[in-house]
Amino acid sequence: MQIAHLLKEKPVNSTVEIKGWVKSRRDSKNLSFLDITDGSCLKGLQVIADAGLSNYQNEILKLTAGCSIQVTGLFAESPAKGQDLELQAREIIIHGWADPDEYPLQKKKHSFEFLRTLSHLRARTNSLGAMARIRSRLSFAIHQFFQERGFIQVHTPIITTSDCEGAGEMFTVTSFDLNNPAKNNGHVDFNRDFFGQRASLTVSGQLEAEAYALALSNVYTFGPTFRAENSNTSRHLAEFWMLEPEMAFCDLDGDMNLAEEMLQHLVRVALEECSDDLDLFGRFIDKNLLSRLNNILDNSFVRMTYTEAVSQLEKSGRNFEFPVAWGMDLQSEHERFLAEELCKCPVIVKDYPKKLKPFYMRVNDDNNTVAAMDILFPKIGEIIGGSQREERLSVLMERMTETGIDHDTYSWYLDLRRFGSAPHAGFGLGFERLLLFVTGLSNIRDVIPFPRTPGSATL
Ligand code: 4AD
Ligand code: MG
């Protein structure tokens, strides 16, 4: 039985069987106490092994951290202080030893940096185990949130021939022999490559999601996305998970409302259903974690235009590393100032200058800004980026020409405006950025099991 299940159901005085890994062993006279975990919850279970067990001397007394065992015994109230339930072993089978001279995870606090060098073993620590459980629960909560609201999940492709963000930060997918690729006039000839054209790993499922939104109304896609940007920061991954809902007959206000409601819902799920794991982070990582999370639920997000944000930044009198001026991109330090210091809560900045944003965003009446919105969180900066999409064929074509996007390559995208075009909007949530906020962890490499960053892709 799973330990989580056992601690919830509490079948006291019945015989149960658990399987898991030894965290620690402590011996007293003719008795050993084993702390066992199976990863189903943060709490372990105390197993009492007495000298009467047939393998006590030659096996149980040799158990060390990391060994895997199977225990059958009586689940009972414990006479010991600080431990209300225990398992009194009748039989212990050892499945796997872990030589203490070689096993790197002894029972002491390891730094996150050290654990990153052990990505195959670090899930066995309390903090990475807690992260994995919260990650799983919130992933499920995302599906629940959208399914309950009638959204249809679309599996958008991972291999794509579109560049949604138009930034060219894409990993090429090829089956060429890289030492001898097909060439034409000295250039690699992708027309002779596997897909008959140049293909890449997707940076966003948005464009494909739009095709489905303009058929099924409300859709979402949630999966891995890839960016070959050389940003070696604590907020960027080369492979990250993005949630992207897309809604037909929706404008920017509807988009912002949904994003805000969803973020509050996800934080509430974490507080209500991951409380043990969050407590761990509250105790060891960030003392203000729970109050910061609760603060999200109590207050609505502040909304301001990009123009207002720039004027607040100019008025702040701060000496920012990057200059602030209308028309310049907001840097992480600016975003954090707005959320952490000025508003002390999440901020939605909307209506950005069109020249800062991709071609698909809807041009506002001023012809200078677009109906974009970024949600900025304290400690994180940008957690969501979204917009209303340009549904007017002629305006979209003009924007594509301006931004150098080939009309023929994207003729399918233009078709969506030629046939039954409708106002529509959506956003992208960086799942790991949400997890950074929810756990209080400071490095994005610690909220994904196997991080991919410039220079690093272990396993
Ligand atoms: O703002 P971005 O680039 O928006 C899009 O890709 C749109 N197509 C989304 C849409 O409207 N459907 O990315 C969305 C979010 C960011 O706000 C950030 O949280 C996250 O994705 N993100 C990253 N997370 C980790 N590592 C990276 N390199 C990230 N780049 C973006
Ligand atoms: Mg963005």
Side-chain angles (χ1 to χ4, degrees), residues 26-78:
R26 185 165 58 81
D27 305 319
S28 107
K29 235 188 337 179
N30 292 329
L31 209 60
S32 294
F33 300 93
L34 303 170
D35 184 16
I36 309 298
T37 174
D38 65 3
S40 60
C41 58
L42 181 65
K43 286 201 187 82
L45 186 65
Q46 174 155 284
V47 169
I48 315 292
D50 69 48
L53 293 167
S54 61
N55 57 349
Y56 186 75
Q57 290 298 332
N58 57 4
E59 290 195 323
I60 292 169
L61 283 180
K62 293 180 188 143
L63 286 173
T64 50
C67 294
S68 83
I69 64 172
Q70 174 175 340
V71 186
T72 313
L74 185 74
F75 188 61
E77 309 228 347
S78 164

Coordinates of all heavy atoms in Angstrom, one line a residue, residues 26-78:
R26 N 18.1 3.7 12.8 CA 18.6 4.0 14.2 C 18.4 2.7 15.0 O 17.3 2.1 14.9 CB 17.7 5.1 14.7 CG 18.1 5.7 16.1 CD 17.4 7.0 16.3 NE 16.0 6.9 16.2 CZ 15.2 6.5 17.2 NH1 15.7 6.2 18.4 NH2 13.9 6.4 17.1
D27 N 19.4 2.3 15.7 CA 19.3 1.1 16.5 C 19.2 1.4 18.0 O 19.8 2.3 18.5 CB 20.5 0.2 16.3 CG 20.7 -0.1 14.8 OD1 19.7 -0.3 14.1 OD2 21.9 0.0 14.4
S28 N 18.3 0.6 18.7 CA 18.4 0.6 20.1 C 18.5 -0.8 20.6 O 18.7 -1.7 19.7 CB 17.2 1.4 20.7 OG 16.3 0.6 21.3
K29 N 18.4 -1.1 21.8 CA 18.6 -2.5 22.3 C 17.6 -3.5 21.6 O 16.4 -3.3 21.7 CB 18.3 -2.6 23.8 CG 19.6 -3.2 24.5 CD 19.3 -3.4 26.0 CE 18.2 -2.7 26.6 NZ 17.9 -2.8 27.9
N30 N 18.1 -4.4 20.8 CA 17.3 -5.5 20.1 C 16.2 -4.9 19.3 O 15.2 -5.6 19.0 CB 16.7 -6.4 21.2 CG 17.7 -7.2 21.9 OD1 18.7 -7.5 21.3 ND2 17.5 -7.5 23.2
L31 N 16.4 -3.7 18.7 CA 15.3 -3.1 18.0 C 16.0 -2.1 17.0 O 16.9 -1.4 17.4 CB 14.5 -2.3 19.0 CG 13.0 -2.1 18.7 CD1 12.3 -3.4 18.6 CD2 12.4 -1.3 19.9
S32 N 15.4 -2.0 15.8 CA 15.9 -0.9 14.9 C 14.7 -0.1 14.4 O 13.6 -0.7 14.2 CB 16.6 -1.5 13.7 OG 17.8 -2.1 14.1
F33 N 14.9 1.2 14.3 CA 13.8 2.1 13.7 C 14.3 2.4 12.3 O 15.4 3.0 12.1 CB 13.7 3.3 14.6 CG 13.3 3.0 16.0 CD1 14.3 2.9 17.0 CD2 12.0 2.9 16.4 CE1 14.0 2.6 18.3 CE2 11.7 2.6 17.7 CZ 12.7 2.5 18.6
L34 N 13.4 2.2 11.3 CA 13.7 2.5 10.0 C 12.7 3.6 9.5 O 11.5 3.4 9.6 CB 13.6 1.3 9.1 CG 14.4 0.0 9.4 CD1 13.9 -1.2 8.6 CD2 15.9 0.3 9.2
D35 N 13.3 4.6 8.9 CA 12.4 5.7 8.4 C 12.3 5.3 6.9 O 13.3 5.4 6.2 CB 13.1 7.0 8.6 CG 12.2 8.2 8.2 OD1 11.0 7.9 7.9 OD2 12.7 9.3 8.0
I36 N 11.1 5.0 6.4 CA 10.9 4.6 5.0 C 10.0 5.6 4.3 O 9.0 6.1 4.8 CB 10.1 3.2 5.0 CG1 10.8 2.2 5.9 CG2 10.0 2.7 3.6 CD1 12.2 1.9 5.6
T37 N 10.4 5.8 3.0 CA 9.6 6.7 2.2 C 9.4 6.0 0.8 O 10.2 5.2 0.4 CB 10.3 8.0 2.0 OG1 9.5 8.8 1.0 CG2 11.7 7.9 1.4
D38 N 8.2 6.2 0.3 CA 8.0 5.7 -1.1 C 7.7 6.8 -2.1 O 7.2 6.5 -3.2 CB 6.9 4.6 -1.1 CG 5.5 5.2 -0.7 OD1 5.4 6.4 -0.5 OD2 4.5 4.4 -0.6
G39 N 7.8 8.0 -1.6 CA 7.6 9.2 -2.6 C 6.2 9.6 -2.7 O 5.9 10.6 -3.4
S40 N 5.2 8.8 -2.2 CA 3.8 9.2 -2.4 C 3.4 10.4 -1.6 O 2.4 11.0 -1.9 CB 2.9 8.0 -2.1 OG 3.1 7.6 -0.7
C41 N 4.2 10.7 -0.6 CA 3.9 11.9 0.2 C 5.2 12.3 0.9 O 6.2 11.5 0.8 CB 2.8 11.7 1.2 SG 3.2 10.4 2.4
L42 N 5.3 13.5 1.4 CA 6.5 14.0 2.1 C 6.8 13.1 3.3 O 8.0 12.8 3.5 CB 6.3 15.4 2.5 CG 7.5 16.1 3.1 CD1 8.7 16.2 2.2 CD2 7.2 17.5 3.6
K43 N 5.8 12.8 4.1 CA 6.0 12.0 5.3 C 6.5 10.6 5.0 O 6.1 10.0 4.1 CB 4.7 11.9 6.1 CG 4.3 13.2 6.7 CD 3.3 12.9 7.9 CE 2.7 14.2 8.5 NZ 1.6 14.7 7.7
G44 N 7.4 10.1 5.8 CA 7.8 8.8 5.8 C 7.0 8.0 6.8 O 6.2 8.5 7.5
L45 N 7.3 6.7 6.9 CA 6.7 5.9 7.9 C 7.8 5.2 8.7 O 8.8 4.8 8.2 CB 5.8 4.8 7.2 CG 5.0 3.9 8.1 CD1 3.9 4.7 8.8 CD2 4.4 2.8 7.3
Q46 N 7.5 5.2 10.0 CA 8.5 4.5 10.9 C 8.2 3.0 11.0 O 7.1 2.6 11.3 CB 8.5 5.1 12.3 CG 9.4 4.4 13.2 CD 9.8 5.2 14.4 OE1 10.7 6.1 14.3 NE2 9.2 5.0 15.5
V47 N 9.2 2.3 10.6 CA 9.1 0.8 10.7 C 9.9 0.3 11.9 O 11.1 0.7 12.1 CB 9.6 0.1 9.4 CG1 9.7 -1.4 9.6 CG2 8.7 0.5 8.2
I48 N 9.3 -0.5 12.8 CA 10.0 -1.1 13.9 C 10.4 -2.5 13.5 O 9.5 -3.3 13.2 CB 9.1 -1.2 15.2 CG1 8.3 0.1 15.3 CG2 9.9 -1.5 16.4 CD1 9.1 1.3 15.7
A49 N 11.7 -2.7 13.6 CA 12.2 -4.1 13.3 C 12.9 -4.6 14.5 O 13.8 -4.0 15.0 CB 13.2 -4.0 12.1
D50 N 12.4 -5.8 15.0 CA 13.0 -6.3 16.2 C 13.9 -7.5 15.9 O 13.8 -8.1 14.9 CB 12.0 -6.5 17.3 CG 11.1 -7.7 17.0 OD1 11.7 -8.8 16.7 OD2 9.9 -7.6 17.1
A51 N 14.7 -7.8 16.9 CA 15.8 -8.8 16.7 C 15.3 -10.1 16.4 O 16.0 -11.0 16.0 CB 16.7 -8.8 17.9
G52 N 14.0 -10.3 16.7 CA 13.4 -11.6 16.4 C 13.2 -11.9 14.9 O 13.0 -13.1 14.5
L53 N 13.3 -10.9 14.0 CA 13.2 -11.1 12.6 C 14.4 -12.0 12.1 O 15.5 -11.7 12.5 CB 13.2 -9.8 11.9 CG 11.9 -8.9 12.1 CD1 12.2 -7.5 11.6 CD2 10.7 -9.5 11.4
S54 N 14.1 -12.9 11.2 CA 15.1 -13.9 10.9 C 16.4 -13.3 10.3 O 17.5 -13.7 10.4 CB 14.5 -15.0 9.9 OG 14.1 -14.3 8.8
N55 N 16.2 -12.2 9.5 CA 17.3 -11.5 8.9 C 17.8 -10.3 9.6 O 18.5 -9.4 9.0 CB 17.0 -11.2 7.4 CG 15.8 -10.3 7.3 OD1 15.1 -10.1 8.3 ND2 15.5 -9.8 6.1
Y56 N 17.5 -10.2 10.9 CA 17.8 -9.0 11.7 C 19.3 -8.8 11.7 O 19.8 -7.7 11.3 CB 17.3 -9.1 13.1 CG 17.5 -7.8 13.9 CD1 16.7 -6.7 13.6 CD2 18.5 -7.7 14.8 CE1 16.9 -5.5 14.3 CE2 18.7 -6.5 15.5 CZ 17.9 -5.4 15.2 OH 18.2 -4.2 15.9
Q57 N 20.1 -9.8 12.2 CA 21.5 -9.6 12.3 C 22.3 -9.4 11.0 O 23.1 -8.5 10.8 CB 22.1 -10.8 13.0 CG 21.8 -11.0 14.5 CD 22.3 -9.8 15.3 OE1 23.3 -9.1 15.0 NE2 21.5 -9.5 16.4
N58 N 21.9 -10.3 10.0 CA 22.8 -10.2 8.8 C 22.3 -9.3 7.7 O 23.0 -9.0 6.8 CB 23.1 -11.6 8.3 CG 21.8 -12.4 8.0 OD1 20.7 -11.8 8.1 ND2 21.9 -13.6 7.6
E59 N 21.1 -8.8 7.9 CA 20.6 -7.8 6.8 C 20.1 -6.5 7.4 O 20.6 -5.4 7.0 CB 19.5 -8.5 6.0 CG 20.0 -9.6 5.1 CD 19.0 -10.0 4.0 OE1 17.8 -10.0 4.2 OE2 19.5 -10.3 2.9
I60 N 19.2 -6.6 8.3 CA 18.6 -5.3 8.8 C 19.6 -4.4 9.4 O 19.6 -3.2 9.2 CB 17.4 -5.6 9.7 CG1 16.3 -6.3 8.9 CG2 16.8 -4.4 10.4 CD1 15.2 -6.9 9.6
L61 N 20.5 -5.0 10.2 CA 21.5 -4.1 10.8 C 22.5 -3.5 9.8 O 23.3 -2.7 10.1 CB 22.3 -4.9 11.9 CG 21.5 -5.1 13.2 CD1 22.3 -5.9 14.2 CD2 21.1 -3.7 13.8
K62 N 22.4 -3.9 8.5 CA 23.2 -3.4 7.5 C 22.5 -2.4 6.6 O 23.1 -1.9 5.6 CB 23.8 -4.5 6.6 CG 24.8 -5.4 7.4 CD 25.3 -6.5 6.6 CE 26.1 -7.5 7.5 NZ 25.9 -8.9 7.1
L63 N 21.2 -2.2 6.8 CA 20.5 -1.3 6.0 C 21.0 0.2 6.2 O 21.2 0.6 7.3 CB 19.0 -1.3 6.3 CG 18.2 -2.6 5.8 CD1 16.8 -2.6 6.4 CD2 18.2 -2.7 4.3
T64 N 21.1 0.9 5.0 CA 21.5 2.3 5.1 C 20.7 3.1 4.1 O 19.9 2.5 3.4 CB 23.0 2.4 4.6 OG1 23.1 1.7 3.4 CG2 24.0 1.8 5.6
A65 N 20.9 4.4 4.2 CA 20.0 5.3 3.3 C 20.1 4.8 1.9 O 21.2 4.5 1.4 CB 20.6 6.7 3.4
G66 N 18.9 4.8 1.2 CA 18.9 4.5 -0.2 C 18.5 3.0 -0.5 O 18.1 2.7 -1.6
C67 N 18.6 2.1 0.5 CA 18.3 0.7 0.2 C 16.8 0.6 0.0 O 16.0 1.3 0.6 CB 18.6 -0.2 1.5 SG 20.4 -0.3 1.8
S68 N 16.4 -0.4 -0.8 CA 14.9 -0.5 -1.0 C 14.5 -1.8 -0.4 O 15.1 -2.8 -0.5 CB 14.6 -0.5 -2.5 OG 14.8 -1.8 -3.1
I69 N 13.3 -1.7 0.3 CA 12.8 -2.8 1.1 C 11.3 -3.0 0.9 O 10.6 -2.0 0.5 CB 13.2 -2.7 2.6 CG1 12.5 -1.5 3.2 CG2 14.7 -2.6 2.8 CD1 12.7 -1.5 4.7
Q70 N 10.9 -4.1 1.3 CA 9.4 -4.4 1.4 C 9.1 -4.9 2.8 O 9.8 -5.8 3.3 CB 9.1 -5.5 0.4 CG 7.7 -6.0 0.4 CD 7.6 -7.1 -0.8 OE1 8.4 -7.0 -1.8 NE2 6.6 -7.9 -0.7
V71 N 8.1 -4.3 3.4 CA 7.8 -4.6 4.8 C 6.4 -5.1 5.0 O 5.5 -4.4 4.5 CB 8.0 -3.4 5.7 CG1 7.9 -3.7 7.2 CG2 9.4 -2.7 5.5
T72 N 6.2 -6.2 5.6 CA 4.9 -6.6 6.0 C 4.8 -6.5 7.5 O 5.7 -6.9 8.2 CB 4.6 -8.1 5.5 OG1 5.0 -8.2 4.2 CG2 3.1 -8.4 5.6
G73 N 3.7 -6.0 8.0 CA 3.6 -5.9 9.5 C 2.3 -5.4 10.0 O 1.4 -5.2 9.2
L74 N 2.3 -5.1 11.3 CA 1.1 -4.6 11.9 C 1.1 -3.1 11.9 O 2.1 -2.5 12.4 CB 0.9 -5.1 13.3 CG -0.4 -4.8 14.0 CD1 -1.5 -5.6 13.5 CD2 -0.2 -5.0 15.5
F75 N 0.1 -2.4 11.4 CA 0.1 -1.0 11.4 C -0.6 -0.6 12.7 O -1.7 -0.9 13.0 CB -0.8 -0.5 10.2 CG -0.8 1.0 9.9 CD1 0.4 1.6 9.7 CD2 -2.0 1.7 10.0 CE1 0.4 3.0 9.5 CE2 -2.0 3.1 9.8 CZ -0.8 3.7 9.5
A76 N 0.1 0.2 13.5 CA -0.4 0.4 14.9 C -0.1 1.8 15.3 O 0.8 2.5 14.8 CB 0.3 -0.6 15.8
E77 N -0.8 2.2 16.4 CA -0.5 3.5 17.0 C 0.8 3.3 17.7 O 1.1 2.3 18.3 CB -1.6 3.8 18.1 CG -3.0 3.7 17.5 CD -3.8 4.9 17.8 OE1 -3.5 5.7 18.7 OE2 -4.9 5.0 17.2
S78 N 1.6 4.4 17.7 CA 2.9 4.3 18.2 C 3.0 4.8 19.7 O 2.4 5.9 20.0 CB 3.9 5.1 17.4 OG 5.1 5.3 18.1

